[in-house]
Amino acid sequence: AMLPRIEILKRDREEVLFSDIVDDANHDARVREVFSFDERITALYEVANKMAARVNAVTPSEPPEGSNSAERIRLAMEELSRLLSGEHDRRRPAQITSHEEDSLDRDAGLHLALQVHAHERILTRLEADMHEYAGAERMADLVELSKAYAYVK
């Protein structure tokens, strides 16, 4: 509704701007009127943008394509298991061959950091999935993803 009004204002602005009035006494009034049109046009664009943002915020997006939430959870848990298993396999030889206390402390710190990193990667993945389902207002799927997120956290 605002875009046609903006077009009318632009057309009226052009008429005022390029009118055949050459009287110097009316020049200042014409300039003020052109600036008034510009201010109104800018204000209407701002209101239209705010309205569009509000409409987009309350309009559900399309449901996510591809796998459903249960499949996404299964894949995320498999990925977490793979990451943690890889870290467990990496650490096992270090425990057998390491005899120095400093080396064990460093290895324990690295082990903890890699475990946290694995969990953070999966949490980020699940969070992105939750945003997709929330935007589509798929509450049942969102609840299942939230449960998986809480479990990993």
Side-chain angles (χ1 to χ4, degrees):
M2 288 200 192
L3 295 181
R5 178 64 184 144
I6 291 171
E7 290 305 315
I8 291 169
L9 282 173
K10 284 182 178 180
R11 191 174 49 242
D12 291 348
R13 176 189 179 275
E14 294 300 316
E15 288 175 10
V16 169
L17 186 62
F18 296 112
S19 65
D20 291 329
I21 301 172
V22 285
D23 184 9
D24 284 334
N26 289 332
H27 177 73
D28 290 340
R30 259 190 358 195
V31 169
R32 279 192 303 275
E33 191 172 352
V34 167
F35 283 126
S36 174
F37 278 116
D38 290 344
E39 290 169 358
R40 285 187 273 170
I41 290 169
T42 301
L44 282 175
Y45 272 129
E46 288 174 3
V47 170
N49 284 335
K50 287 179 184 177
M51 287 175 60
R54 297 279 191 235
V55 168
N56 290 338
V58 299
T59 304
S61 60
E62 293 295 317
E65 292 185 17
S67 56
N68 61 20
S69 63
E71 180 68 12
R72 290 176 185 222
I73 292 168
R74 186 186 65 76
L75 291 172
M77 293 305 166
E78 284 178 2
E79 177 74 5
L80 179 60
S81 178
R82 185 186 65 74
L83 291 169
L84 293 176
S85 174
E87 171 49 23
H88 182 70
D89 292 345
R90 180 208 64 83
R91 188 163 189 240
R92 188 175 299 138
Q95 287 179 334
I96 295 169
T97 61
S98 179
H99 298 291
E100 297 177 14
E101 191 174 319
D102 288 344
S103 179
L104 283 174
D105 287 344
R106 277 194 306 274
D107 186 59
L110 179 61
H111 178 68
L112 180 61
L114 291 173
Q115 284 184 325
V116 169
H117 174 71
H119 283 83
E120 288 295 323
R121 280 181 59 180
I122 299 308
L123 289 172
T124 300
R125 179 178 176 169
L126 289 171
E127 196 171 305
D129 290 341
M130 288 175 10
H131 281 289
E132 283 186 60
Y133 282 96
E137 296 184 0
R138 302 283 300 261
M139 293 305 128
D141 292 317
L142 184 58
V143 167
E144 293 305 313
L145 285 163
S146 298
K147 287 178 184 176
Y149 183 90
Y151 174 77
V152 172
K153 193 160 185 155

